[in-house]
Amino acid sequence: MATWDEVRELANKLKETQNQPNICKLSDRTWVDIIKHLMSVNRLKLVFSTDGRSYLTRNELDKEIRDEVEAHSGRITLTELASNLDVDFDIIESRSPCRLISIPSEVVNSSYVRRVAHEILDRLEEHGQTSIGELTVIFNLPTTFLSSIMQEYQSTLFHVHKYGEKYFTDTFLNATKAKIRGYFTGVIRPVTLSSVASKLQIPENLINSIVSSLISTGRLYGNLIAGRSGFVPKCYTYAEDTYINSFYSQNGYIEWNYLKRLNIPDPGSYLKTKLPNAMHLPGLTVNTLIVDQLKSLISGVIRDVSWIDL
């Protein structure tokens, strides 16, 4: 049976043994093999650093991606992100952490998107208009991404009207409507919308829309010529109708080519509407009284002769 002194000696030896440094260490290569094995059997999911000497969990990688994006004011290229985090580019490209938005070769966060939206608002308030093309140059962002921002913040941050590639504010549109109404009210001859667009520096499709609205609401008198993108003021139409009626009344006929020279594209339809009781021949409209007179004259002549040279 061991004495108390022997027990005390064994306890001291055990304590010394426990205090000694561990001399049984695994090599780095062994640890790598163990981790690779655990990953191969789906017991462990890690992301290797580029040099293979360190590992990250996927959650940690996503966190570091978000932190890195935030550190770069909400926008960073994937190449720079991969370099800064020392992670393979393909892995960075495949990750989609929440609250981040991927665009070609870059990633941005929601704070950056809001900042872009507010800068667009500032531009709209200053200029009254903008376009996706202009915004692409300013922010160096894809057109589809900028279009999605415009849609997302429409009615919440700003209220704009889209005509083609252009966006206009209510204030700009009201001022433009007043300018267009003033211009077309002073027009006394037909004009093309393209020439007005060039003169006023306003998109033609916007002019077309505003003029059509002004005509339909009775605030502008005239007509838009379908297919020719032109406007004919009512005063011109009235003067034209008066002149044509006067010519017809005095001469009893009117040639269609003459109406074409007056910029009436379809003289036949025009004259059939204006002179429904006249005789409409190809290229000529004749008063029926003239026709009756000719018939009487010819009938009287052929009673005396067997032929007549018309």
Side-chain angles (χ1 to χ4, degrees):
M1 183 175 179
T3 63
W4 181 249
D5 291 336
E6 291 175 334
V7 172
R8 186 181 292 111
E9 184 180 356
L10 288 172
N12 290 334
K13 288 182 178 180
L14 176 61
K15 185 176 181 180
E16 290 176 1
T17 301
Q18 290 176 332
N19 290 333
Q20 289 179 357
N22 185 9
I23 59 175
C24 297
K25 293 184 178 180
L26 296 177
S27 66
D28 290 345
R29 181 69 262 173
T30 302
W31 278 114
V32 170
D33 291 339
I34 292 173
I35 290 174
K36 283 185 175 180
H37 172 72
L38 292 174
M39 292 177 67
S40 67
V41 296
N42 291 324
R43 297 290 300 275
L44 188 64
K45 294 183 178 180
L46 296 175
V47 175
F48 285 86
S49 63
T50 304
D51 59 11
R53 299 180 66 85
S54 59
Y55 309 90
L56 290 170
T57 64
R58 295 183 180 183
N59 289 339
E60 178 62 23
L61 176 60
D62 289 348
K63 177 182 178 300
E64 292 195 12
I65 289 175
R66 286 193 294 269
D67 292 344
E68 194 69 19
V69 173
E70 184 65 32
H72 286 76
S73 302
R75 181 180 182 182
I76 188 174
T77 65
L78 295 179
T79 302
E80 187 176 1
L81 192 58
S83 175
N84 292 351
L85 297 181
D86 196 24
V87 176
D88 187 81
F89 178 87
D90 292 337
I91 295 176
I92 293 294
E93 189 176 32
S94 66
R95 302 304 298 163
S96 300
C98 62
R99 300 191 300 278
L100 293 184
I101 304 166
S102 295
I103 57 178
S105 302
E106 293 183 272
V107 63
V108 299
N109 60 18
S110 54
S111 297
Y112 177 81
V113 174
R114 285 194 298 272
R115 189 161 63 251
V116 169
H118 280 278
E119 290 184 26
I120 292 174
L121 174 62
D122 292 340
R123 182 171 183 81
L124 286 169
E125 290 178 344
E126 181 179 355
H127 301 283
Q129 61 174 312
T130 189
S131 69
I132 293 298
E134 292 172 348
L135 297 178
T136 299
V137 173
I138 294 171
F139 297 106
N140 191 26
L141 288 169
T143 56
T144 52
F145 183 68
L146 288 167
S147 295
S148 68
I149 293 178
M150 296 299 295
Q151 293 175 1
E152 180 181 355
Y153 286 90
Q154 169 74 324
S155 300
T156 56
L157 184 61
F158 41 70
H159 186 269
V160 292
H161 304 270
K162 188 174 186 294
Y163 290 88
E165 292 298 315
K166 285 276 191 177
Y167 293 89
F168 302 98
T169 63
D170 288 332
T171 302
F172 180 87
L173 278 183
N174 290 335
T176 301
K177 285 180 181 178
K179 182 188 294 186
I180 290 175
R181 184 185 179 190
Y183 183 89
F184 280 92
T185 299
V187 167
I188 60 174
R189 296 182 62 84
V191 293
T192 61
L193 299 188
S194 59
S195 64
V196 178
S198 177
K199 184 174 295 185
L200 299 183
Q201 293 298 300
I202 299 173
E204 184 177 337
N205 59 344
L206 178 58
I207 292 178
N208 194 320
S209 175
I210 292 176
V211 170
S212 178
S213 174
L214 291 172
I215 292 173
S216 63
T217 55
R219 290 180 291 171
L220 182 64
Y221 300 105
N223 295 289
L224 285 172
I225 304 174
R228 298 179 63 190
S229 297
F231 171 78
V232 180
K234 189 173 182 178
C235 62
Y236 180 86
T237 302
Y238 177 79
E240 190 176 61
D241 290 346
T242 301
Y243 178 78
I244 291 172
N245 286 331
S246 175
F247 183 94
Y248 177 78
S249 298
Q250 293 177 14
N251 298 279
Y253 74 94
I254 190 165
E255 296 182 54
W256 291 7
N257 284 334
Y258 183 71
L259 269 64
K260 287 183 178 179
R261 292 198 294 271
L262 296 177
N263 292 319
I264 296 177
D266 188 358
S269 298
Y270 172 86
L271 290 171
K272 288 175 183 178
T273 301
K274 297 293 182 180
L275 304 171
N277 297 323
M279 177 179 288
H280 303 283
L281 304 173
L284 181 70
T285 294
V286 184
N287 192 320
T288 54
L289 293 177
I290 299 294
V291 176
D292 292 339
Q293 291 174 6
L294 285 173
K295 286 181 179 179
S296 298
L297 179 61
I298 294 171
S299 297
V301 171
I302 62 176
R303 280 198 296 266
D304 300 326
V305 296
S306 59
W307 62 275
I308 186 172
D309 185 0
L310 296 178

